Amino acid sequence: MRPWIDRKVLIKEAKDFVRRNGYFLRQNAHRISSLVEVAVYNSIVEYYRTRGFMLEARNLGPKKSFRYKVSSTGLTRNFSYFRATEPTTGAVVCIFHNTRIQSAHHAHLYYTPDVAVCDEDGNVTERLKSGRDHSYIVNAHLLTFAEVKHLPPFPEALFSFTGLVQEFMPGFIAGTIVLHPDEVHLSPILVFTGVSSEHNEKIRTELGKRYGINIVFGTQKSHGQIANFDELRKYVVAAVKKGAAKAPDEVIIESRRLLRESVESFPD
Amino acid sequence: MKHEDSIPGVDTKSVIVALTDGIGVPLGRAARSSYFELIRRLAGNERFNRLDPTGRQQVADVLALSIFYGQVVAPLESGRSLLRLAHGAQAQEVRIGRDKLSKKFSDRIGGCVAAFQRILRAQRIPKEVLSFAKLDNFINNVMSAREKAKRETLD
C-alpha cells in the first residue's frame, strides 16, 4: 500500500525545489518581504472581488503603474487605490493602504492603519491652517480597517487592538454592531505574520467572541490570502453606528443578544 | 539544533532543512524560527503525544510544509494575485516603493508556486491542511487527511 507521505520522496522533492528556485528566492528575498506587507491589502481587495464587486484601479502613475503607498506620509492623490463597485446595488467601496483614518470621538485625532476601507465619499484631502494638505478617511464613512504586525502574536498587541477599535469603530466594543456571515463588510482585522502560542490562541478566541473583531495569525494563510474568507467575521453596516446618535437601550440590548448568537455560530 | 527543538522519535530536521537550505538567510531563518517554535509546542501537546509514531512524524513533516508555505509561497501567491487584480483593473504593473512587480516577475512566481503545489499533490497533502488558527485543529486536520488518503488507497 502506497504510504501517505513518502518521506524520502518528499525530502528529495523539497531539495529539487530549492535547487530550481533557490536562486530566484535568494535574489528576491527583499521583494518577497514587501509582498508580505502587500498581502493584507491584496486579501481585502480580493475579498471584495470574490463578493462580486467590480474593481477599478484609481490614481495610476506613469505607464499605468499601480503605486502602492509604503509609508504613512503622503497625500492620497499621489498613490493608487482600488475602487470596488457592487454591480446590482451600485454600492462603492474604496480600499486604501497606509491612509489616515479619523477618530470616532474627536474630529482631529487620527491613526494610520495598514489598510482602510471606506465608502465612495470617505477619503478627503483638506488644507490645514499651516497651509499643508492632509488626507484622511472621514470616520462616518469608514467601513473597516486592518492593522498588520510583522511579529508573532503577543498579548499586549492583541489587547491593544481593542483600544484602536474603541477609538475608530467603537460600536464593536459597545456591542451595538451585529455580525452576520452573509454580510459584506469585514469586521476590523488584526493580522500577525508570525506563529502563535497557546495562550495567544485563547486571547484571540476570547476577543473575537467578545467584540466580533478578526484576529488572524500567520498560519492561517490560504491561497495567498491572509485567511479563508469564510473564517472572517462580517457585520451589518447599520444606521446606528460610530459617530451617529446613541442607540436606544432596547436596540443595544437586542444587538448584543444577536451578537452573542452570531459569534457562537463562528468556528472558533 | 537545540535540544528543545527535538521530539523523541520524530525527525524534526530533515524536511524543514531540505526546504530552507539554499533559499537565503532572510527567508530561511524566518521559516525555521517559526517551525521550531511550533515544534516546541507540539512536544508538549496532549493530542500530538497520543498519536502513533507515524502520525507524529507526519504532523511534523506537514508542519514544515505549512510554515514554508506561509513564509515563502503565500507571499508569492499574494504578489501574483495583486498583479492579476491590477491588470484586471487596467494597471500594467505594480510599484511597491522602488520595486516593480511586472508580468515577467509574476510568471516566475507562478513557476515557483506551481512547483510547490506539485510537491503537495505528489504526497496527496490537501493544500487546506496547511492553514490553521489553532495547533490542535492542525493536528486533527493532518490526521483527517491521512485517513482520507488511506480510504482512497483502499478503494
Side-chain angles (χ1 to χ4, degrees):
Chain A
M1 191 166 72
R2 186 178 148 212
W4 182 60
I5 306 184
D6 184 327
R7 294 199 80 232
K8 278 188 185 163
V9 173
L10 173 61
I11 292 164
K12 180 187 173 304
E13 287 178 344
K15 288 179 178 173
D16 283 344
F17 172 89
V18 173
R19 193 169 43 79
R20 293 199 183 97
N21 298 284
Y23 178 76
F24 167 74
L25 294 173
R26 285 196 304 275
Q27 291 300 110
N28 291 280
H30 173 71
R31 269 183 181 176
I32 294 169
S33 294
S34 65
L35 289 177
V36 171
E37 160 113 17
V38 164
V40 181
Y41 182 76
N42 170 66
S43 290
I44 294 174
V45 174
E46 175 67 16
Y47 168 74
Y48 280 101
R49 191 193 67 78
T50 61
R51 294 306 300 262
F53 282 66
M54 309 295 293
L55 299 176
E56 187 192 340
R58 289 284 183 99
N59 289 359
L60 294 178
K63 297 183 188 174
K64 290 196 176 181
S65 62
F66 185 96
R67 297 172 294 174
Y68 184 84
K69 191 169 185 273
V70 294
S71 79
S72 57
T73 55
L75 299 173
T76 310
R77 62 174 174 251
N78 296 327
F79 296 91
S80 310
Y81 66 96
F82 278 99
R83 183 176 187 274
T85 308
E86 210 290 326
T88 47
T89 63
V92 173
V93 300
C94 296
I95 307 143
F96 293 94
H97 35 95
N98 286 309
T99 298
R100 212 171 281 142
I101 59 176
Q102 182 190 45
S103 165
H105 303 278
H106 191 293
H108 299 295
L109 295 182
Y110 311 90
Y111 131 84
T112 305
D114 293 279
V115 184
V117 182
C118 63
D119 61 32
E120 189 169 18
D121 302 317
N123 185 255
V124 299
T125 299
E126 291 175 347
R127 183 141 291 178
L128 300 170
K129 285 179 189 168
S130 61
R132 288 181 60 196
D133 286 342
H134 135 92
S135 297
Y136 64 96
I137 291 169
V138 176
N139 190 271
H141 296 278
L142 180 65
L143 293 168
T144 196
F145 65 96
E147 176 67 21
V148 183
K149 298 287 185 199
H150 294 286
L151 293 164
F154 56 104
E156 186 183 16
L158 287 157
F159 293 124
S160 296
F161 185 65
T162 60
L164 286 173
V165 178
Q166 162 62 19
E167 188 67 27
F168 297 95
M169 296 189 78
F172 285 90
I173 307 301
T176 56
I177 294 292
V178 175
L179 300 182
H180 198 285
D182 295 338
E183 285 295 316
V184 170
H185 299 295
L186 297 168
S187 297
I189 309 169
L190 173 63
V191 181
F192 290 93
T193 57
V195 300
S196 175
S197 69
E198 190 177 349
H199 180 229
N200 291 317
E201 282 179 4
K202 284 183 189 164
I203 296 174
R204 170 188 174 272
T205 300
E206 177 59 29
L207 294 182
K209 281 186 177 163
R210 200 189 298 166
Y211 301 125
I213 56 177
N214 291 305
I215 298 173
V216 176
F217 294 152
T219 47
Q220 285 178 260
K221 292 194 190 86
S222 177
H223 301 285
Q225 311 307 329
I226 52 170
N228 183 325
F229 294 143
D230 291 340
E231 291 176 4
L232 298 176
R233 293 180 173 85
K234 297 100 181 170
Y235 76 101
V236 179
V237 177
V240 178
K241 61 175 185 163
K242 69 277 164 196
K246 240 186 136 179
D249 286 345
E250 57 269 25
V251 174
I252 292 174
I253 290 165
E254 177 64 7
S255 292
R256 281 186 178 149
R257 183 187 68 77
L258 289 168
L259 176 62
R260 268 199 311 279
E261 286 176 4
S262 60
V263 296
E264 279 158 12
S265 69
F266 276 90
D268 257 344
Chain B
M1 192 169 70
K2 299 178 206 166
H3 171 72
E4 56 267 28
D5 294 341
S6 62
I7 299 173
V10 179
D11 174 10
T12 56
K13 195 177 162 194
S14 299
V15 176
I16 193 67
V17 168
L19 286 167
T20 55
D21 197 11
I23 65 170
V25 169
L27 292 173
R29 182 185 291 164
R32 291 190 201 197
S33 173
S34 294
Y35 172 74
F36 286 117
E37 175 66 35
L38 288 175
I39 284 292
R40 283 189 281 275
R41 282 190 60 195
L42 272 183
N45 184 286
E46 203 179 306
R47 205 166 297 203
F48 176 79
N49 287 322
R50 282 203 301 262
L51 297 176
D52 57 271
T54 305
R56 289 202 295 273
Q57 185 64 67
Q58 288 164 337
V59 168
D61 290 343
V62 177
L63 184 65
L65 290 164
S66 169
I67 295 300
F68 186 78
Y69 171 75
Q71 296 282 346
V72 179
V73 181
L76 296 177
E77 281 184 321
S78 177
R80 201 145 184 260
S81 171
L82 184 62
L83 268 166
R84 206 166 35 233
L85 290 171
H87 286 154
Q90 279 78 58
Q92 286 185 356
E93 61 185 30
V94 174
R95 287 198 170 266
I96 306 171
R98 288 186 194 149
D99 280 332
K100 186 173 78 173
L101 303 185
S102 60
K103 185 173 181 315
K104 187 177 169 188
F105 185 68
S106 174
D107 289 344
R108 187 63 186 88
I109 286 174
C112 199
V113 171
F116 181 77
Q117 286 170 347
R118 276 196 295 276
I119 294 176
L120 297 182
R121 275 201 304 274
Q123 298 297 328
R124 295 179 292 156
I125 298 168
K127 198 176 168 188
E128 295 68 38
V129 165
L130 303 184
S131 305
F132 62 96
K134 292 181 179 176
L135 196 58
D136 280 351
N137 292 350
F138 172 71
I139 296 167
N140 290 342
N141 292 343
V142 172
M143 290 298 100
S144 295
R146 176 171 86 158
E147 286 311 308
K148 189 176 175 209
K150 256 190 209 166
R151 284 196 302 271
E152 284 168 0
T153 307
L154 291 170
D155 286 344

